[in-house]
Amino acid sequence: EQQLFLFSVLAAILHMGNIEFNEERNDSCSINSDNEHLLIAAKLLGLEVAQLQKWLCHKTLKARNETVVMSLKQKRCFRWHGSICETYLRFSFPLGREAS
């Protein structure tokens, strides 16, 4: 079961690497809802497609009692995407911790 989970995370990250970000007129980015790689990555991660789209194209900032959701520019989406993939890998393959 753990091995299947790890393969799913790795496959999702590989598919996320093939997702194309569209540049919008207002300097933000978007992903087509019917993007094959988005659909597969969301399924492998157990997420709704709209939820993954939002995470890849927006950044949430929290300060005290306020939460702000910011649209990211296309170049920033690529970097943000890399950070999300890195986080999934870090939690899936905890280095320096004993496996249970």
Side-chain angles (χ1 to χ4, degrees), residues 4-20:
L4 180 60
F5 167 76
L6 294 176
F7 287 148
S8 294
V9 169
L10 288 174
I13 288 171
L14 290 172
H15 279 286
M16 286 171 58
N18 292 322
I19 292 173
E20 294 181 18

Side-chain angles (χ1 to χ4, degrees), residues 8-9 12-13 16 40-47 52 88:
S8 294
V9 169
I13 288 171
M16 286 171 58
I40 294 170
K43 183 176 181 180
L44 288 168
L45 295 172
L47 301 172
L52 184 55
Y88 266 109

Side-chain angles (χ1 to χ4, degrees), residues 42-75:
K43 183 176 181 180
L44 288 168
L45 295 172
L47 301 172
E48 293 180 21
V49 174
Q51 189 178 24
L52 184 55
Q53 275 179 304
K54 183 177 180 180
W55 286 354
L56 291 172
C57 295
H58 297 83
K59 186 174 186 175
T60 303
L61 301 173
K62 292 184 180 182
R64 294 189 185 183
N65 298 331
E66 193 174 342
T67 302
V68 178
V69 179
M70 297 173 33
S71 295
L72 298 173
K73 295 181 180 182
Q74 188 181 28
K75 288 182 183 179

Side-chain angles (χ1 to χ4, degrees), residues 21-31 71-74:
F21 295 94
N22 305 315
E23 190 171 359
E24 299 296 322
R25 289 182 188 192
N26 61 356
D27 240 6
S28 64
C29 71
S30 67
I31 305 169
S71 295
L72 298 173
K73 295 181 180 182
Q74 188 181 28

Side-chain angles (χ1 to χ4, degrees), residues 83-95:
S83 297
I84 291 172
C85 291
E86 183 180 328
T87 301
Y88 266 109
L89 283 174
R90 187 172 292 145
F91 283 102
S92 299
F93 298 99
L95 299 176

